Amino acid sequence: MTDAPDHPDRSTSALSHLGGLVGRHPRTVVLIWLLAVVASFAGATGAFGNQSLFERLQSGDPSVAGENLQGRDQLVAAGRSATSTHLLQVTDADAAAPATVAAVKAAASAISGIDGVASVAAPQLGPAGLDSPQAKTLLPTSGDGFAAVVTFDPGLEGDARDRAQAQVDQQLDALVAAIPGAHGTTGGLADLIHAITSQVEKDLRAGEGIALPISFLVMVLVFGGFVAAGMPIIGAIASIAGALASLLGFSHVIDLDATVVNVVTVLGLGLCIDYGLLTVSRFREELRSRVQGRPASEITQEEVLAAIVRTVDSAGRTVVFSGLTVAISLGGLLVFEASILKAIGSAGLSVVLVAMLVALTLVPALCVLGARRLLKRGTEQAPEEGVFSRLATRVFRHPLLVIVAVLAVLGTLAAPAFDLRLTSSGKELLPVSAPQREFFTTLEARYPGLAGPDVQVVATATPEQAQAYAAALPVVGGTRLTGRVEAVSDRLSVIAIDTPGGPLDDGARDAVTALRADRPDFPTKVIGQASGLRDFTDSLRERAPYAFALVALATLVLLFLMTGSVVIPVKALLMNVVSLGASLGIVVWVFQQEHLQGLLGFDSVGGIESTIPMLVLAFGFGLSMDYEVFLLSRIVELHERGADNDHAVIAGLQRSGRIITSAAILVVIVFSGFVAGQLLIIKETGVGLAVAVLLDATLVRMLLVPATMALLGDWNWWAPARLKRWHARFGITE
C-alpha cells in the first residue's frame, strides 16, 4: 500500500511552495545556511572582536523582586557590594612573625595605590596588630596563617575590575612568596561566578562531544547509511550555531544566567535531531512510493522535486505543530517573575524557531542533494506490519489492564516528588574538587566571620535601635537568635545572624519565617540565601496556576485544530501530567534522596535546585507533546482518509513508532551527554529531561496512548457539533 495516490491536492499550500523553492535551489539554501552557521559561531566566540557569549554570562541566586532583593539593593546603594571584595587565605605561615608583618605591610601599601582599590584589610594592619578587635575575623579559628581582604570601589566593573584584580593578584602572589614556606589561595564572589560560567562552556563542549558522535552512530544504524544519518547531525550543528547566536543577542537585552546556555542549546540540539529524523524518513518514504522499486539511479529530478514538496508539506506541518507545542510550553515560563525563567523562555522560543527553520529548509535541501544516495540500498516500500503494529494489536486486546499497569508504574515513580525540597546552591554547583569551591569551603571552616552570616536583617534605624532589636530577636527551634550589629550609616544597620547548619538549612529557613513575622517598629528587610529562596518559591507558587492554565489552554486549542477532537487533547494533557510527575519523582529520588551519586558523579545537597522543577515541567511537556504530535499526525492522517479508529491507531503507530523510538533514543543520548558535565544544575536538568523523554516514548506513546484509544474507540474523535463545524472551517488538516 502506498500513500501517494491518496494524497489530496495541496500544491497551493504555503509549505508546498516552500518545499518547491527549496527543491529547485538546494545548493543556494545550503550555502546560505553555511554562511549563517560560520557567522553565528564566530559571533558567539568573539571572533569579530566582540565580547563572546560566555563573557557576557552571569551567575547567582535565582531572584525575584521580593524582600531579599530589596534589602540587597539597599546595601548596594549604601556602598556595600559583595562582589567588590577579593580575599587571600595564607597557610603555613606565622601571622606574627616579623617577616610576615613586613611582607603584609609592603603588599598593602602597593595594593592601596592600584586604581579602583578602596581598602586593604589584614590582621597585621590594625592599630594594635594581631591584638586588634579588627584582626579577629582575619585569623583562623584553628591552625596557623591569616586572611587578607581587598575591597574595590563599588562602581568598578567589567574590564576595569579585571585589570585591577589582575594587579592585586600580582601583589598578593608576591606577598605569599615573601613569606618562607607559606602557601596562598585567592578567591571571591566574582571568581566563583567566573568559575561557574567557565564550567558552563566546558560542560557544553563535553556534552556535545559525547552526544553528537554517539547520535551519529545510532542514526547510521537507524537509517542504514552515513548519508541519511549525517543530515540530521548537520542540522543539529546548524541549530547549535543558531542557538548560540540568538543567546548572544538576548544577552544584550536581558541578563543571562550561565546555566541558560546549556539548557537552551541542548533543547535546540534535541529538537533538530527529532525534526531532522522525521524529515529524512518522510522524504525516503515519499520517494520510495514514487519510484516503485526501480533502481535508485533511475530516479528523475521531477520525482525528487515531487517527493520533497510532499515531505515539506506533510512532515513540515508536523514540525510546525510540534514547534508550536514546544513554544507554548516555553511561553509558560514567561509568566513567571524570575529573570532566569524569563530568560530561558525567551531564548528557548528563538531556538525553537531556529530548529523549525533548519527542518523546513536546510534538511530538505540536503535531502534533495543526496536523494539518490539515500535510496542506494533499495527503493522497496517499508512494511505495513511490524513490531509496532504487533505491539499495538496486543495492547488492543487488553487495554484496561495496560492502562492500570502503566499508571501504577508511573505513580510509583512519581511518589518521591511529594517530598520535593527546593534549594539554591552557590559554590555547591561546582564539583567538590573545583578550586573556588575548595576556597569557600575552607573559608567557611577557618574564617566564619569572612564567609558571611547565614541570615541578615537590613534595618532602616539608628545603631542604638538596631542594638535593641538584636538583643530581643525571636526564638527559633527553642533557642533565641543572636545577632551582631554593624552600622552602615546613621540610619542604616545590618544585623548578622548565624544559624546551625548553614544558610539553606532548616534553621536558616525557620529564622527567615520568624524574622519576617516579628517586625520591629522600624522598616526591616530579611536577606540571605534562605530569604531569596523563600521569595522565589512564593513567586513560583503565585504564578504557576496562570502559567499552567495558559499552556493547557493553548495546547488544547492547537491539538483540537489538528485532530478535530476534544477528547484526544484532554487525554494528552492528563497523560503528560502523570509522565512528568514520574520524571520529577526520579529527579528527587536521585539528587535529593542521594541515590546514584557515585555513578553520576555528584554530591547531593539534600534538595533540588529551585529552577529545576519548572525546567523539567516546561521542557519535558514540550518534548512529550513533540512525540504526541509525531504519533497523532499519522493517526489523524489515516483517520481522515476513512480508516476506522483501530486501524488508524495500529497503522499510525507502525508508521511513526520507529521514528519516535529512534528520536527518543537520540534525545536521551543528547541529555545524557550533559549529565557528564560538572555543574550540578546541568546534571539535574539532563537526568530530568532524559528520564522524561524515555518514559514518554516508551510507557506513554507505545502503551498508554494506544490503550486509551482502544478503550475509547470512536469516542476519541468526539466533539460538540458546533466545534465540529468550527473545525471543518478553521482546522488544520490534510
Side-chain angles (χ1 to χ4, degrees):
M1 181 176 118
T2 63
D3 287 345
D6 297 326
H7 291 319
D9 181 15
R10 290 185 50 85
S11 58
T12 60
S13 72
L15 288 174
S16 292
H17 283 305
L18 177 61
L21 181 65
V22 172
R24 287 187 292 272
H25 308 285
R27 288 182 175 81
T28 302
V29 172
V30 172
L31 179 61
I32 291 172
W33 270 106
L34 178 62
L35 294 175
V37 167
V38 171
S40 296
F41 276 127
T45 56
F48 295 134
N50 59 301
Q51 262 192 316
S52 75
L53 169 63
F54 298 99
E55 291 174 331
R56 298 188 59 81
L57 298 179
Q58 302 181 14
S59 184
D61 298 334
S63 60
V64 295
E67 181 170 334
N68 182 66
L69 189 59
Q70 293 167 8
R72 290 184 182 278
D73 288 344
Q74 274 187 278
L75 292 182
V76 171
R80 293 277 298 273
S81 173
T83 57
S84 66
T85 58
H86 190 54
L87 296 89
L88 166 71
Q89 296 184 66
V90 179
T91 56
D92 302 321
D94 180 359
T100 302
V101 174
V104 169
K105 289 183 176 180
S109 176
I111 292 172
S112 297
I114 296 173
D115 288 340
V117 172
S119 65
V120 183
Q124 297 85 355
L125 301 178
L130 301 187
D131 296 324
S132 299
Q134 300 92 327
K136 184 178 180 181
T137 58
L138 299 171
L139 293 172
T141 54
S142 62
D144 58 12
F146 63 94
V149 180
V150 178
T151 302
F152 296 102
D153 293 334
L156 195 67
E157 297 178 349
D159 292 340
R161 163 66 189 256
D162 292 340
R163 286 193 299 271
Q165 183 165 317
Q167 295 177 56
V168 167
D169 280 334
Q170 288 180 349
Q171 295 299 328
L172 294 179
D173 289 343
L175 164 61
V176 175
I179 304 173
H183 298 86
T185 55
T186 58
L189 186 54
D191 300 271
L192 179 62
I193 292 172
H194 177 71
I196 292 174
T197 55
S198 298
Q199 192 62 54
V200 166
E201 188 172 6
K202 294 174 185 176
D203 285 357
L204 186 60
R205 289 199 302 266
E208 291 167 356
I210 294 171
L212 288 176
I214 298 178
S215 298
F216 178 71
L217 292 177
V218 171
M219 278 193 281
V220 168
L221 296 176
V222 171
F223 284 121
F226 287 95
V227 174
M231 291 178 182
I233 291 296
I234 292 173
I237 293 172
S239 173
I240 293 171
L244 294 177
S246 64
L247 287 169
L248 179 62
F250 273 109
S251 72
H252 290 275
V253 180
I254 56 179
D255 293 335
L256 284 185
D257 189 87
T259 56
V260 173
V261 176
N262 286 43
V263 173
V264 171
T265 303
V266 80
L267 173 69
L269 182 59
L271 286 179
C272 239
I273 289 178
D274 275 0
Y275 297 161
L277 191 64
L278 174 68
T279 302
V280 173
S281 297
R282 188 63 184 248
F283 176 72
R284 293 175 83 177
E285 180 183 323
E286 292 293 338
L287 199 54
R288 280 195 177 108
S289 71
R290 287 162 174 77
V291 174
Q292 297 288 348
R294 303 192 330 263
S297 58
E298 296 181 7
I299 299 174
T300 66
Q301 195 60 33
E302 289 74 17
E303 289 171 326
V304 172
L305 182 59
I308 202 62
V309 168
R310 176 59 192 166
T311 296
V312 173
D313 180 61
S314 56
R317 279 184 301 111
T318 302
V319 166
V320 171
F321 264 109
S322 172
L324 288 174
T325 58
V326 177
I328 287 169
S329 66
L330 294 180
L333 295 177
L334 300 179
V335 175
F336 293 101
E337 187 182 0
S339 58
I340 184 173
L341 296 181
K342 287 183 179 292
I344 291 175
S346 302
L349 288 172
S350 68
V351 170
V352 172
L353 177 61
V354 171
M356 291 170 61
L357 288 175
V358 167
L360 294 174
T361 57
L362 176 59
V363 175
L366 294 172
C367 287
V368 172
L369 294 176
R372 292 169 181 82
R373 296 193 65 184
L374 283 175
L375 299 188
K376 189 169 67 172
R377 297 198 175 193
T379 60
E380 71 284 349
Q381 279 289 289
E384 287 296 317
E385 294 186 3
V387 61
F388 295 104
S389 63
R390 289 193 292 271
L391 174 63
T393 301
R394 292 193 183 98
V395 169
F396 266 62
R397 292 175 188 156
H398 308 285
L400 188 57
L401 179 62
V402 171
I403 292 171
V404 172
V406 171
L407 290 179
V409 171
L410 293 176
T412 302
L413 294 176
F418 291 101
D419 188 38
L420 174 65
R421 173 187 169 88
L422 296 181
T423 189
S424 182
S425 302
K427 68 180 189 303
E428 294 84 5
L429 290 175
L430 294 169
V432 175
S433 59
Q436 279 302 304
R437 178 164 180 178
E438 290 181 342
F439 179 89
F440 278 96
T441 300
T442 303
L443 188 72
E444 290 171 359
R446 303 189 74 214
Y447 303 94
L450 292 179
D454 298 326
V455 179
Q456 295 181 82
V457 178
V458 181
T460 306
T462 64
E464 293 76 18
Q465 289 175 308
Q467 288 287 359
Y469 170 70
L473 290 173
V475 174
V476 175
T479 305
R480 185 171 295 280
L481 298 174
T482 58
R484 305 180 303 276
V485 178
E486 179 186 351
V488 178
S489 67
D490 292 342
R491 293 293 305 170
L492 188 67
S493 295
V494 176
I495 298 94
I497 303 168
D498 290 318
T499 60
L504 285 170
D505 192 69
D506 287 340
R509 300 185 191 210
D510 292 343
V512 169
T513 301
L515 290 167
R516 289 189 175 190
D518 186 10
R519 303 279 189 180
D521 294 334
F522 47 83
T524 60
K525 301 294 182 185
V526 182
I527 67 173
Q529 283 182 274
S531 179
L533 182 60
R534 167 77 173 270
D535 290 343
F536 186 82
T537 53
D538 286 348
S539 177
L540 285 185
R541 194 176 298 111
E542 179 186 345
R543 301 291 182 95
Y546 301 104
F548 293 153
L550 173 65
V551 171
L553 180 61
T555 302
L556 289 172
V557 171
L558 190 64
L559 289 183
F560 172 74
L561 290 174
M562 179 181 182
T563 64
S565 163
V566 297
V567 176
I568 291 175
V570 171
K571 186 161 57 71
L573 281 176
L574 293 177
M575 286 188 291
N576 276 349
V577 168
V578 178
S579 174
L580 292 174
S583 306
L584 195 57
I586 291 176
V587 171
V588 172
W589 183 80
V590 171
F591 291 97
Q592 179 177 312
Q593 299 181 357
E594 304 182 8
H595 296 94
L596 308 182
Q597 291 187 89
L599 178 63
L600 298 180
F602 72 95
D603 293 281
S604 176
V605 295
I608 303 300
E609 296 305 313
S610 57
T611 56
I612 292 298
M614 292 314 306
L615 293 185
V616 170
L617 293 176
F619 282 65
F621 182 87
L623 291 170
S624 296
M625 294 307 299
D626 190 30
Y627 299 127
E628 179 80 9
V629 169
F630 280 17
L631 177 56
L632 284 180
S633 64
R634 283 308 186 109
I635 294 175
V636 172
E637 185 178 351
L638 290 164
H639 189 261
E640 288 179 348
R641 294 185 200 169
D644 61 31
N645 178 78
D646 292 4
H647 176 73
V649 175
I650 293 172
L653 188 60
Q654 169 64 18
R655 296 188 185 190
S656 62
R658 185 176 66 92
I659 297 301
I660 292 174
T661 304
S662 302
I665 291 172
L666 293 167
V667 172
V668 168
I669 289 171
V670 168
F671 289 133
S672 298
F674 287 87
V675 175
Q678 297 297 308
L679 282 181
L680 179 61
I681 192 171
I682 299 302
K683 285 182 180 290
E684 291 179 355
T685 305
V687 169
L689 294 181
V691 168
V693 170
L694 187 62
L695 292 177
D696 188 80
T698 53
L699 294 180
V700 176
R701 271 339 117 207
M702 299 296 106
L703 297 175
L704 198 55
V705 169
T708 54
M709 296 197 81
L711 192 65
L712 292 172
D714 289 337
W715 282 102
N716 285 298
W717 309 98
W718 179 85
R722 181 176 295 180
L723 287 180
K724 280 288 187 185
R725 291 192 296 270
W726 194 82
H727 178 265
R729 184 175 179 183
F730 299 106
I732 306 173
T733 63
E734 277 283 323

